[in-house]
Amino acid sequence: MSQIEQMKPQEAYEILRSNPAAALVDVRTQAEWSFVGIPDTRDLGNAMALVQWARYPDMAVNTNFVQELTDQLGGQIPDTLLFICRSGARSQNAAQMISQQMSQAGRDVRCINVAEGFEGDLDSKSQRGKLNGWKAGALPWRQT
């Protein structure tokens, strides 16, 4: 299994911009997509998948994650996948699992974790979305 690359949101965005075959996978919950927003890659033309890694409210791991991801990406996993969640933890787990699954299937898929995530780290007021992350980096995003 290959090591999971770690990138800041701006670096991840540049990968998406330079590689139209790369896909972004948002592994947060449906509630997070609805209330917090999602990255907006429509202008880039890259595929984007919204697949919950863990289901709210019990946060049990989604046992259908691989199949749901494959389905959302049109039946084929591309050679480069970027994973994002709130702050980078769930996306790291998802990236590791996909990397392992693809390796076992004889495929070398570049799996990248967006380390600061969509909302980033907590600031001095214990709030997310202002210190770092996709939104704080002024990258394109939208409400669903």
Side-chain angles (χ1 to χ4, degrees):
M1 179 170 71
S2 62
Q3 187 72 4
I4 304 303
E5 295 178 62
Q6 304 295 312
M7 288 189 181
K8 294 187 179 293
Q10 293 80 2
E11 296 170 306
Y13 187 79
E14 288 305 316
I15 292 287
L16 292 166
R17 186 188 340 227
S18 66
N19 182 355
L24 181 63
V25 183
D26 189 328
V27 304
R28 294 174 299 146
T29 65
Q30 190 167 11
E32 288 171 297
W33 302 324
S34 296
F35 297 116
V36 182
I38 62 171
D40 189 355
T41 61
R42 293 177 297 182
D43 286 346
L44 299 175
N46 298 77
M48 183 167 163
L50 302 175
V51 184
Q52 298 178 102
W53 171 252
R55 297 188 190 278
Y56 184 82
D58 65 356
M59 299 310 283
V61 172
N62 177 2
T63 58
N64 295 320
F65 183 81
V66 176
Q67 187 60 54
E68 290 176 21
L69 175 60
T70 304
D71 290 347
Q72 283 198 32
L73 294 175
Q76 181 67 16
I77 300 291
D79 291 338
T80 302
L81 289 173
L82 295 99
F83 294 83
I84 192 167
C85 67
R86 181 185 67 195
S87 60
R90 284 174 284 171
S91 53
Q92 173 70 21
N93 292 335
Q96 287 175 326
M97 195 269 287
I98 291 295
S99 178
Q100 181 179 18
Q101 292 272 329
M102 294 296 105
S103 179
Q104 289 174 354
R107 292 220 29 231
D108 185 26
V109 174
R110 182 181 183 195
C111 292
I112 300 166
N113 183 41
V114 181
E116 295 171 359
F118 189 70
E119 294 182 75
D121 297 317
L122 293 170
D123 65 12
S124 61
K125 296 179 182 178
S126 296
Q127 297 176 338
R128 294 187 192 276
K130 298 175 183 166
L131 184 63
N132 56 19
W134 188 279
K135 284 176 86 172
L139 294 170
W141 66 278
R142 64 186 171 94
Q143 295 294 147
T144 58

